[in-house]
């Protein structure tokens, strides 16, 4: 009985490729016919084409609307989407329908909350930006040839004018410089007016309120950049890098974001997607006109797929670096009292952040210092010496030290070369390993043997410790700074950034982009298998469509409103 069951199962499995081949033709017989090749280059063609193959792709969620079907709403409603995808329009700016359905927005685009600056900026963008600005702004001098009785301001693009802002009662509320940037020569490719006023919050809010009373709508977070994306000035990956640049915590993070804005990653994605479409076009043409075309060069196709896969892999390698660029690295320095933890922190950060004395237990709380290693912002956490104590204050410090260690990305356990490995060090290590197991922490540990100036001949072999508990062993002298560069190199090595160039990477990919690159990689792997197993050409096109669709989602050529709201909602208001 079992033998018959196995035989029947084997027969069914053997017929599966043919069964899928027949179904793909019977279910959607028109998917490869009467479709112009040019339709393959329309960004909207991929979702529709992929959704027809229901056996291999899930049915699109009806609640996730395409950007093309976003509806226009009244200006009072809290939405940041226009009535249609302006990026797919042949005319990205002077489209009457788009202008009519778009509202004019205003916001303060300079930082608030800190000490007042000399200058602050209020920005207007939209089809009515000029008319709204003309209601509130009065140039100090009228241009020659213009009627003095005319109240309508007619600016020249990129020509700065000095004047005043008036409220609805005609009272002067500030002296400003008006900077007009007329479409399409602006950040949003709409008419943009920037009013440079005095930098106090009072002045800025008065000017903004006047603009809102004149007919503008307060911009949503990230709405200016969203409009730049919708108009085609930026693709989605470039727009995301705008947010990275604003929040950059290091020079390397700023340079990587700027490289992304300038199109480093976008160029790669566009090239990969173009190659997918070209290959898809060639294969689909053979499905209809196989007898009239030369045979495919499988060697050339496999070489193309290999090159594309390598490029995708190289892009994926930047994801880990991007994570540390954005969130930074937390390093906890642990150890017994008086082993030189605070001295190590001071030497590493080149500052006197921690008080250093010969009295054990001087540090009672967690002390932070910031350094940058190969462009990655690193927060050093000097902790209280961990030991059994009856001192209430010191006991609280010990508890905080243990908590900090469990939340760190890297744990540095420090011992004294003069004392060697002690029973107290063994107890501390056991406690750290137990806490890591309970908390589920996988933070790597580095053993730092400090004060080697006091015991220059010390070696790890003579310390009699658990070597397998530590990923690296580093000898340091906090007094001279010896070993700190080696400690930094060890940290980069254990987090996988040992091959990082000194200037960092030119661009990086975030988590959303990484997910789509993984889908692209998996689709290319399946495509290779389909070719090697000599499956019908239909199966090749399925994988190519999946790769092209994933790449389109990176650049924003196929994206839902929900994802756009999530991305641009993280921006500050005014950007």
């Amino acid at each position: 009985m079992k033998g018959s069951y196995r035989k029947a199962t084997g027969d069914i499995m053997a017929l599966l490729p043919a069964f899928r081949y027949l179904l793909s033709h019977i279910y959607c017989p028109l998917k490869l016919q009467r479709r112009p090749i040019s339709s393959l280059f329309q960004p909207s063609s991929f979702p529709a084409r992929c959704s027809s193959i229901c056996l291999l792709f899930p049915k699109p969620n009806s609640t996730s609307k395409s950007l093309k079907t976003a509806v226009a709403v009244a200006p009072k409603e809290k939405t940041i989407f226009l009535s249609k995808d302006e990026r797919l329009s042949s005319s990205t700016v002077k489209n009457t329908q788009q202008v009519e359905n778009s509202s004019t927005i205003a916001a303060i685009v300079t930082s608030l909350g800190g000490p007042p600056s000399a200058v602050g900026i209020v920005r207007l963008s939209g089809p009515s930006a000029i008319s709204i600005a003309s209601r509130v702004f009065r140039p100090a001098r009228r241009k020659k040839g213009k009627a003095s009785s005319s109240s309508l301001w007619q600016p020249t693009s990129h020509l700065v004018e000095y004047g005043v802002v008036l409220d609805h009662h005609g009272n002067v509320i500030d002296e400003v410089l008006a900077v007009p940037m007329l479409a399409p020569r602006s950040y949003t490719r709409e008419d943009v007016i920037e009013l440079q006023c005095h930098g106090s919050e009072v002045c800025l809010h008065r000017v903004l309120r006047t603009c809102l009373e004149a007919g503008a709508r307060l911009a949503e977070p990230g709405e200016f950049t969203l409009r730049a994306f919708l108009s085609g000035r930026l693709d989605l990956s470039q727009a995301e890098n705008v947010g990275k640049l604003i929040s950059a915590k290091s020079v390397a993070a700023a340079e990587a974001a700027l490289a992304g804005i300038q199109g480093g990653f976008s160029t790669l994605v566009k090239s990969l997607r173009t190659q997918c479409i070209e290959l898809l076009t060639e294969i689909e043409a053979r499905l209809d006109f196989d007898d009239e075309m030369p045979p495919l060069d499988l060697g050339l196709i496999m070489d193309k797929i290999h090159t594309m896969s390598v490029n995708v892999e190289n892009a994926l390698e930047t994801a880990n670096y991007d994570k540390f660029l954005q969130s930074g690295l937390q390093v906890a320095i642990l150890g017994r009292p008086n082993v030189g933890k605070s001295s190590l922190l001071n030497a590493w950060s080149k500052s006197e952040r921690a008080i250093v004395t010969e009295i054990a237990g001087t540090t009672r709380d967690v002390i932070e210092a910031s350094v940058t290693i190969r462009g990655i912002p690193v927060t050093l956490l000097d902790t209280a010496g961990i030991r059994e104590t009856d001192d209430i204050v010191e006991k609280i410090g010990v508890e905080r030290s243990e908590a900090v260690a469990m939340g760190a990305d890297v744990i540095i356990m420090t011992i004294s070369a003069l004392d060697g490995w002690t029973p107290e060090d063994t107890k501390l290590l056991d406690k750290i390993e137990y806490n890591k197991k309970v908390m589920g922490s996988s933070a790597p540990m580095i053993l730092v043997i400090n004060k080697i100036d006091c015991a220059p001949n010390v070696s790890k072999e003579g310390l009699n410790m658990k070597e397998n508990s530590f990923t690296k062993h580093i000898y340091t002298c906090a007094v001279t700074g010896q070993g700190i560069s080696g400690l930094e190199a060890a940290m980069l090595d254990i987090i996988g950034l040992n091959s990082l160039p000194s200037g960092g990477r030119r661009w990086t990919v975030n988590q959303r982009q990484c997910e789509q690159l993984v889908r692209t990689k998996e689709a290319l792997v399946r495509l290779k298998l389909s070719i090697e197993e000599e499956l019908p050409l239909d199966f090749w096109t399925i994988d190519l469509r999946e790769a092209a669709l994933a790449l389109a989602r990176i650049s924003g050529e196929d994206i839902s409103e929900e994802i756009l709201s999530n991305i641009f909602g993280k921006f500050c208001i005014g950007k």
Side-chain angles (χ1 to χ4, degrees):
M1 186 67 179
K2 290 182 178 179
S4 301
Y5 175 75
R6 290 195 187 97
K7 184 176 184 303
T9 304
D11 293 340
I12 292 172
M13 295 300 292
L15 291 171
L16 270 180
F19 183 64
R20 291 172 63 193
Y21 178 77
L22 289 172
L23 276 182
S24 66
H25 282 70
I26 294 170
Y27 180 76
C28 45
L30 298 179
K31 75 180 179 68
L32 299 176
Q33 302 179 44
R34 295 185 293 279
R35 292 290 301 274
I37 294 300
S38 61
S39 67
L40 297 173
F41 294 88
Q42 297 297 325
S44 60
S45 65
F46 285 95
R49 292 166 66 82
C50 291
S51 63
S52 65
I53 309 173
C54 64
L55 297 176
L56 297 176
F57 294 92
K59 187 175 181 180
N61 186 354
S62 60
T63 61
S64 178
K65 298 179 183 177
S66 170
L67 181 60
K68 292 179 65 182
T69 59
V71 295
V73 296
K76 292 184 179 179
E77 295 186 36
K78 291 187 177 180
T79 180
I80 53 179
F81 300 107
L82 304 183
S83 62
K84 60 187 295 186
D85 189 350
E86 295 186 358
R87 304 182 73 254
L88 305 182
S89 171
S90 58
S91 174
T92 57
V93 185
K94 303 270 185 176
N95 186 301
T96 306
Q97 183 64 34
Q98 292 170 358
V99 168
E100 289 176 355
N101 290 330
S102 151
S103 58
T104 298
I105 56 175
I108 299 169
V109 298
T110 44
S111 179
L112 296 174
S117 59
V119 177
I121 299 175
V122 174
R123 177 188 290 164
L124 291 156
S125 179
S128 303
I130 296 174
S131 62
I132 291 173
S134 68
R135 294 171 202 158
V136 302
F137 174 70
R138 292 293 179 271
R141 293 182 182 177
R142 293 285 180 184
K143 296 181 182 178
K144 293 182 179 180
K146 296 194 184 263
S148 59
S149 60
S150 174
S151 61
L152 182 63
W153 178 48
Q154 297 180 357
T156 301
S157 186
H158 294 80
L159 180 64
V160 179
E161 292 193 49
Y162 166 72
V164 295
V165 172
L166 309 176
D167 62 16
H168 63 282
H169 297 298
N171 300 318
V172 176
I173 59 174
D174 201 3
E175 295 183 359
V176 303
L177 293 177
V179 185
M181 292 167 277
L182 307 185
R185 298 168 57 201
S186 70
Y187 180 66
T188 61
R189 283 191 174 170
E190 301 175 317
D191 288 337
V192 171
I193 306 293
E194 289 189 351
L195 301 175
Q196 299 184 5
C197 51
H198 292 91
S200 74
E201 291 192 25
V202 173
C203 293
L204 286 166
H205 282 112
R206 290 183 73 190
V207 172
L208 175 61
R209 183 169 60 249
T210 301
C211 292
L212 298 179
E213 290 172 351
R217 170 176 64 80
L218 184 64
E220 299 285 342
E223 188 168 359
F224 290 101
T225 302
L226 174 63
R227 292 189 175 204
F229 162 70
L230 294 176
S231 68
R233 185 185 182 279
L234 303 171
D235 70 14
L236 191 55
S237 64
Q238 290 174 304
E240 288 174 301
N241 277 292
V242 172
K244 287 183 183 179
L245 183 59
I246 294 170
S247 59
K249 299 177 182 177
S250 66
V251 173
E255 289 180 347
L258 189 58
I261 293 173
Q262 293 174 340
F265 179 51
S266 299
T267 301
L268 174 64
V269 171
K270 183 178 180 180
S271 173
L272 290 171
R273 187 168 181 267
T274 299
Q275 292 177 65
C276 286
I277 292 174
E278 288 175 351
L279 189 54
L280 182 60
T281 303
E282 189 174 351
I283 293 172
E284 289 204 337
R286 280 171 169 76
L287 288 170
D288 288 335
F289 310 105
D290 192 25
D291 297 336
E292 304 172 16
M293 301 186 71
L296 286 170
D297 187 344
L298 294 182
L300 181 61
I301 291 176
M302 291 296 281
D303 288 342
K304 286 184 178 180
I305 296 171
H306 175 71
T307 303
M308 292 166 63
S309 299
V310 170
N311 288 332
V312 171
E313 281 287 351
N314 291 338
L316 283 170
E317 287 178 1
T318 70
N320 193 37
Y321 180 54
D322 180 76
K323 171 190 170 186
F324 290 119
L325 275 182
Q326 303 310 314
S327 59
L329 194 67
Q330 283 205 332
V331 179
I333 305 174
L334 304 181
R336 296 182 294 106
N338 212 22
V339 294
K341 301 185 299 299
S342 297
S343 299
L344 181 62
L345 176 89
N346 289 343
W348 200 344
S349 64
K350 296 181 175 60
S351 66
E352 296 296 323
R353 292 286 296 126
I355 298 174
V356 178
T357 70
E358 295 181 359
I359 303 172
T362 300
T363 303
R364 299 292 185 95
D365 205 347
V366 178
I367 299 174
E368 296 186 7
S370 298
V371 298
T372 300
I373 303 176
R374 297 278 188 92
I376 298 175
V378 178
T379 302
L380 305 176
L381 304 170
D382 177 28
T383 61
I386 299 177
R387 64 176 177 178
E388 297 294 333
T389 178
D390 294 328
D391 188 309
I392 297 177
V393 176
E394 188 176 358
K395 187 178 292 186
I396 294 173
V398 169
E399 292 173 354
R400 289 187 178 183
S401 300
E402 294 173 353
V404 162
M406 294 305 102
D409 298 300
V410 178
I411 297 173
I412 293 177
M413 182 172 171
T414 310
I415 65 172
S416 170
L418 192 60
D419 300 332
W421 187 267
T422 66
E424 288 79 10
D425 293 320
T426 302
K427 290 180 181 178
L428 174 58
L429 178 59
D430 290 342
K431 192 169 188 178
I432 294 172
E433 290 180 332
Y434 174 77
N435 289 340
K436 284 178 63 179
K437 185 177 180 181
V438 171
M439 300 298 294
S441 171
S442 58
M445 293 182 64
I446 298 175
L447 178 66
V448 168
I449 304 165
N450 196 25
K451 301 184 180 181
I452 58 170
D453 55 323
C454 300
N457 298 321
V458 69
S459 64
K460 64 179 182 180
E461 289 78 12
L463 292 177
N464 192 25
M465 59 183 179
K466 297 181 182 178
E467 289 193 32
N468 58 354
S469 298
F470 302 99
T471 309
K472 298 281 185 179
H473 303 80
I474 305 295
Y475 298 90
T476 63
C477 174
V479 175
T480 63
Q482 179 183 348
I484 290 181
S485 60
L487 181 56
E488 291 180 349
M491 284 177 50
L492 291 176
D493 187 29
I494 62 179
I495 63 176
L497 299 176
N498 53 321
S499 59
L500 190 67
S502 58
R505 297 189 186 274
R506 291 301 300 160
W507 49 261
T508 59
V509 300
N510 61 24
Q511 182 179 353
R512 185 193 71 84
Q513 296 160 356
C514 182
E515 290 173 359
Q516 299 305 325
L517 285 174
V518 169
R519 292 182 182 179
T520 303
K521 175 185 173 182
E522 292 172 348
L524 293 176
V525 169
R526 292 194 301 270
L527 177 58
K528 279 185 180 180
L529 291 176
S530 297
I531 295 173
E532 291 170 355
E533 294 174 3
E534 299 181 355
L535 293 178
L537 294 181
D538 270 20
F539 289 95
W540 302 16
T541 63
I542 290 170
D543 297 323
L544 280 169
R545 285 194 191 99
E546 177 68 13
L549 179 60
L551 293 168
R553 286 172 177 162
I554 292 175
S555 59
E557 293 176 81
D558 184 89
I559 204 73
S560 69
E561 292 182 20
E562 182 181 359
I563 294 175
L564 282 182
S565 294
N566 183 48
I567 292 171
F568 291 100
K570 297 175 183 176
F571 281 57
C572 60
I573 294 176
K575 195 59 181 176

